[in-house]
Amino acid sequence: MTKIFSFNKNHRDLSAGHNSHLKEVNGVNGMPKSLAPGFPDLDDQFNQMGITHIRLHDGFGIGDMDNYFQVDRKNNQNQMIVNVPEENKSAAKKLVADISNVRSIFPNAAIGMRNHDVNLALRDANYEMTDAYLHDVLSNQVDLNPDNIQRQIMFRIGRSLDGGYETPEDFDIYAILVSTLVSRYALNYARIGLPRKISYWEIWNEPDLLFFWNSNDPKKYYELYNKIVRVIKTIDPDAKVGGAGISFSNNAGGDYIDGFFRYCRNNNVPLDFFSWHGYVDTGDPQNIIDMGNTIQKSLHTYDFTETESICTEWNSSPFGSRNTFTKVQSAKNAAYIASSLIYMQYAKVDLAHYYRGDGLSFGLFNNQPNPKNPCVKNFCTYSAQSFSLFARMFETPHILSGNKDFSTGLTVLATENEAGNKINILAANYKVDKSFSDGNVAPVPADLYRQYYLDTSRTLEQLTDTYSKNQWFGGIDPTTIHHNNAVVQNDPVQQIPTDTYLRPKSRDYIHSDQGVTVVIDHIGYKKFKVKAYRIQEGGGLEQMTPPEVTNQITVSISNNKLTLVDKMAKPSTVTLYSLELSHH
């Protein structure tokens, strides 16, 4: 017997989404434009996935304030390096450090702060490289953008992973540096050719992790946040400013949730949004609801009832390994993604950014050849297809009331258009598996996908041809940039104790293993046309839209009730059912 889900077409669910309107939780980290040699441009793919919201983070110099990458750093976790062949890794470490350092916006920030000299910190500011990426991403190629997607960027203030973990030496100067970015990208954006302003500014990333913020005194972060947010608001009062992109998002009562909110309330510090990360090691996507509710409860406790809650990073695993990078591109992860996107409609999550959407490690794209034609690589991954199916739901953005049954492997969302004559249903079937988030456990099937990695055939000094300069350096010769952001990286301090208390939910898979039945009461129509598309292991990846499986389902209308039965909506699948309704 299949698992039954019931919906009522007479009622839209005001408790879901934004008052029944589908939330745009399908943003990503990562850029559609190649970040370095060896990685692809993905404008077409991003548009087909319907990506509107992009968080500028881990851009390896692009959008970074003051990177200090070191070739020999012991805890190097750089995502451009993991998949590089072993014999090329030394060259890769050197190249990624060179690229990330010369692309930083303020190449003299550290030496300026060390000398408490703002003019020195601002010397030779390198805005143009970030300008070029922002222009390309926001402008969006017209010929690849038939739906006229107007991308929005959240600008993360800080550094990329491995860009240095010591706190800025002079917070006042750091705030002044930020002020020049806000003036440039929020006020004077049109003068540099940007089609729209940047409205969202996120102050730092994961200060509760020592490899981003080497301090166990949270008050230091509070102080930096206070200085920067007030500077931003002085320049652009309408800017949305928040922080802190915390890692331990279920740690209610901790220094970076309740402690931070208490500080902001007691000192009248603006907090337009609070950002947090939705990684779990339980293998259970439903934990995103737990984290969202934890954040909401604390926000309300400290009277931040209008503050947005934004999940600026999430994925099925926080553990970087070659095993993980294949698993996050699998059909099983596609089901994890779709389940999470549905769950977020029922939690306090206003926006969300998946980590990550491009071709870097953890990304949605790889260099895997098509099994039917090995001379051609796949257009996308199963996980990318999951985003594309969710994007189709915005054709019918009003969420129907249903029984909100999260007790099995299946998670189902039904939405309708304004006229009520079109319904889309998204069904994700995911079995909770703790080992799925474990980077040491191999994927099933065990073959690893071929990933993109940094091309080390040329050094930075050889990336001075016109194509390379325009592609990765904003038209500038990278060898002309001299950076002085060296900072002694001290031994990490003791990590602040945390316990997130996240546990997987109990599930009963007996019926969801057999497929799904969707019943929509009060359908109000007599005729229908239906199409169904399914993501499943072994399915085609030559295009973003997964294979059509309409012939595998049955649909009928009787007694003002529509019934859809799909016995093939088994575990590790995502299926979209699109219904057009008519009276005749």
Side-chain angles (χ1 to χ4, degrees), residues 184-246:
R184 190 175 187 88
Y185 299 133
L187 296 188
N188 301 311
Y189 62 93
R191 295 181 186 176
I192 59 172
L194 301 188
R196 65 192 68 88
K197 67 182 285 186
I198 290 180
S199 298
Y200 279 86
W201 301 87
E202 182 185 29
I203 300 173
W204 218 258
N205 180 75
E206 296 183 338
D208 53 343
L209 289 182
L210 299 180
F211 51 78
F212 277 107
W213 184 265
N214 191 23
S215 171
N216 52 14
D217 180 4
K219 294 183 179 62
K220 280 192 173 183
Y221 174 76
Y222 304 167
E223 181 186 354
L224 179 69
Y225 178 86
N226 183 24
K227 289 180 181 293
I228 292 179
V229 70
R230 294 191 188 280
V231 164
I232 293 176
K233 287 292 190 179
T234 298
I235 296 169
D236 181 11
D238 296 326
K240 296 286 189 74
V241 190
I246 63 167

Side-chain angles (χ1 to χ4, degrees), residues 125-238:
N126 176 26
Y127 302 109
E128 290 79 9
M129 294 186 187
T130 292
D131 289 354
Y133 272 84
L134 293 178
H135 177 271
D136 288 353
V137 171
L138 290 174
S139 296
N140 206 342
Q141 296 183 51
V142 175
D143 57 328
L144 298 177
N145 187 22
D147 296 324
N148 193 30
I149 292 173
Q150 303 291 302
R151 293 174 181 153
Q152 306 291 329
I153 286 181
M154 172 178 283
F155 199 112
R156 186 271 299 124
I157 300 296
R159 311 175 186 125
S160 287
L161 177 66
D162 287 325
Y165 50 77
E166 295 300 330
T167 62
E169 197 163 339
D170 187 318
F171 288 179
D172 291 306
I173 288 180
Y174 211 80
I176 292 172
L177 300 182
V178 173
S179 74
T180 71
L181 300 182
V182 179
S183 295
R184 190 175 187 88
Y185 299 133
L187 296 188
N188 301 311
Y189 62 93
R191 295 181 186 176
I192 59 172
L194 301 188
R196 65 192 68 88
K197 67 182 285 186
I198 290 180
S199 298
Y200 279 86
W201 301 87
E202 182 185 29
I203 300 173
W204 218 258
N205 180 75
E206 296 183 338
D208 53 343
L209 289 182
L210 299 180
F211 51 78
F212 277 107
W213 184 265
N214 191 23
S215 171
N216 52 14
D217 180 4
K219 294 183 179 62
K220 280 192 173 183
Y221 174 76
Y222 304 167
E223 181 186 354
L224 179 69
Y225 178 86
N226 183 24
K227 289 180 181 293
I228 292 179
V229 70
R230 294 191 188 280
V231 164
I232 293 176
K233 287 292 190 179
T234 298
I235 296 169
D236 181 11
D238 296 326

